[in-house]
Amino acid sequence: MKNNTSIKFDIVKSPTTKITSVDFENLTFGATFTDHMMICDYENGAWKTPEVKPYGPIELDPSAKVFHYAQAVFEGMKAFKDDHDKIWLFRPEDNFNRINISSKRMAIPEFPAEYFFPALEALLKLDQAWIKKGFGNALYLRPFVIATEPGVGASPSTKYKFMIICSPVKGYYDGEVRVKFSDKFSRAADGGVGFAKAAGNYGAQFYPTALANDEGYQQIVWTDAESHEYLEEAGTMNIFFRINDTLVTAPTSDRILDGITRKSLIALAGDFSIPVEVRRVSVAEIINAAKDGTLKEIFGSGTAAVITPIQGFGFKGEKYELPVLTDSYATFLKDKLMKIQYNLAEDKFGWRYEVK
Amino acid sequence: MKNNTSIKFDIVKSPTTKITSVDFENLTFGATFTDHMMICDYENGAWKTPEVKPYGPIELDPSAKVFHYAQAVFEGMKAFKDDHDKIWLFRPEDNFNRINISSKRMAIPEFPAEYFFPALEALLKLDQAWIKKGFGNALYLRPFVIATEPGVGASPSTKYKFMIICSPVKGYYDGEVRVKFSDKFSRAADGGVGFAKAAGNYGAQFYPTALANDEGYQQIVWTDAESHEYLEEAGTMNIFFRINDTLVTAPTSDRILDGITRKSLIALAGDFSIPVEVRRVSVAEIINAAKDGTLKEIFGSGTAAVITPIQGFGFKGEKYELPVLTDSYATFLKDKLMKIQYNLAEDKFGWRYEVK
């Protein structure tokens, strides 16, 4: 699968570059895109030849199913450049496998690995000047699939576009983050699509998050829809709690995304002899731990920020602040994980993938 | 609000028409569109002047938020032509109000009534040749809103398009319909977006429905996500059960769409002294009623088909058939409702809206 060169794909190089107009020191997350994109059409039951071509708008019929029925999935990945100008991906097979898991749940045809990796690598090589060296700099990659068949009948599309677009990003720091434990809104149902990176999971969070913003919180921590007693995910991240010196995080389920950063942190913590418990975490337990001082940290995990430390939380109007630590797991694990990503530390788990 | 002519909107007439190429006797639902569409952009905090213009593709950046986060809502409506060539809508204020309820939940700015009705009416007048006379013929109207701002940051868009597209349809008959009562998959969570016509609710149904199709069912009846003990919605329709001579349907909630056909049928049934109970309906109750012969009918209700009679259902591998009735409520109520829609009966509830 890796560096497979037997698959044909078409490359059209952009005659110009936008790179000179980009201020790489002041990047808004996901707002700037590189010179090229990958696009591959599905029609008549088959994926066509992938194309790497100049980044630009796409044209769709107003009745295209993605607009009406959100038959759409995506992934988030990053490419890193080390001090020797080598380009690295982090566990890309996991992203590739997950987009197909998401696609299956959304009745979208799976995408072949022998198309994905060569086309992605060709795209990265063409846009390699956009991957800046330096700890924290990266090229955020957004593979996604959209249903493009015209027609408002409520049935799966027969046409799709699989695309990859790329956005240069800086180390992500969003200021202090306080979260609201949701006591009303929910992210996903049992038997629903919460485990998938389905587009609809994300748009549905905007309104509850805006209400939480108005109360002074930056994000919502989603609780189970039945009882709002168990903590599940933080905004678009998985969530970890440190109680005394043990890390606790919820198990994945059909409501909770199987985060690649999440499982990498669990493996890394184990490797450094940090006890990790993967089990349901109740709101009551966390509130009690905050009150008796055993709650040391909360942090979110995800591709964009790797780890987002959380300074405080609220539930049903009560607010709780977390202590400031000098031996934070968040800081420790983020540094360890990023050093692997940037080829600055041994990769004992085999997570790095070189783009050659 | 009605027939407000003080609002400016731009009209660009199509120089040609596709109507002569359309076989109005053989229409696939939602696959053929008229010559014009309505489009209105939201930018800088305001809706711009609506335009009625030739139907055609739209161009979007590949990072447009609708593709990634499904920040998108829609409505379904119909226009009817009576024997005197008058054009009628059915309770359009309810669709208008509901799209704004859906928009609010999806953090989309509400659309003004004083834009919606004049622009819709101008569109209908321009495409009035597409509305065919005859019981069952109609023009299906699809208002929808999509988030168009480029950028993959997971936050609400600052740019939107509100559009209306129109598709001629025949009386909808899908053959015999048998439904599977879901015992695994779910449509919506408490605290989620099930009550909204959010795009993501629909794409998420395609895969479970395809699995049910493989088992010989045409649709799924969604049950509550917690226990799968209560019946909620049928595919994209509300659902009614006739037990002895009483109609029973689930109450609306934050999981169940407040269907306009549903509430019209409840009102009509009451008017014809058919007892209606709006309450939770359990799977066990319906199976018992099927076994003891008191279950007379099941039917779905929605804009597309008005009423879809259901011939049988299955749950956990057991299949149940319904009796064939000569005094079906489905047939009776569908006829009564459609006669109001087509201006063939008195409109005592004030549901008709004439497009002048």
Side-chain angles (χ1 to χ4, degrees), chain A residues 269-318:
Chain A
D271 197 45
F272 287 100
S273 302
I274 295 172
V276 181
E277 294 175 8
V278 177
R279 60 167 173 81
R280 297 192 85 180
V281 189
S282 74
V283 174
E285 176 185 3
I286 296 305
I287 287 176
N288 288 337
K291 286 180 176 167
D292 69 17
T294 55
L295 180 69
K296 303 295 186 193
E297 296 181 71
I298 305 179
F299 56 85
S301 72
T303 294
V306 185
I307 285 179
T308 299
I310 290 166
Q311 277 77 36
F313 68 93
F315 184 65
K316 293 189 175 171
E318 292 291 316

Side-chain angles (χ1 to χ4, degrees), chain A residues 108-185:
Chain A
I108 295 171
E110 294 178 32
F111 196 66
E114 60 269 28
Y115 284 25
F116 180 75
F117 287 94
L120 172 59
E121 295 187 39
L123 175 61
L124 288 174
K125 276 176 249 177
L126 215 48
D127 281 340
Q128 61 184 284
W130 292 80
I131 315 174
K132 297 297 181 189
K133 279 189 273 199
F135 209 55
N137 294 323
L139 191 64
Y140 181 82
L141 312 175
R142 171 56 62 93
F144 66 104
V145 197
I146 54 174
T148 56
E149 187 190 5
V152 297
S155 58
S157 183
T158 60
K159 295 180 182 178
Y160 298 88
K161 284 185 189 296
F162 189 111
M163 300 184 70
I164 306 175
I165 56 178
C166 311
S167 176
V169 292
K170 290 285 290 177
Y172 195 89
Y173 178 66
D174 233 5
E176 299 211 326
V177 175
R178 287 176 177 78
V179 294
K180 175 174 179 164
F181 292 174
S182 183
D183 55 15
K184 178 177 172 198
F185 293 104

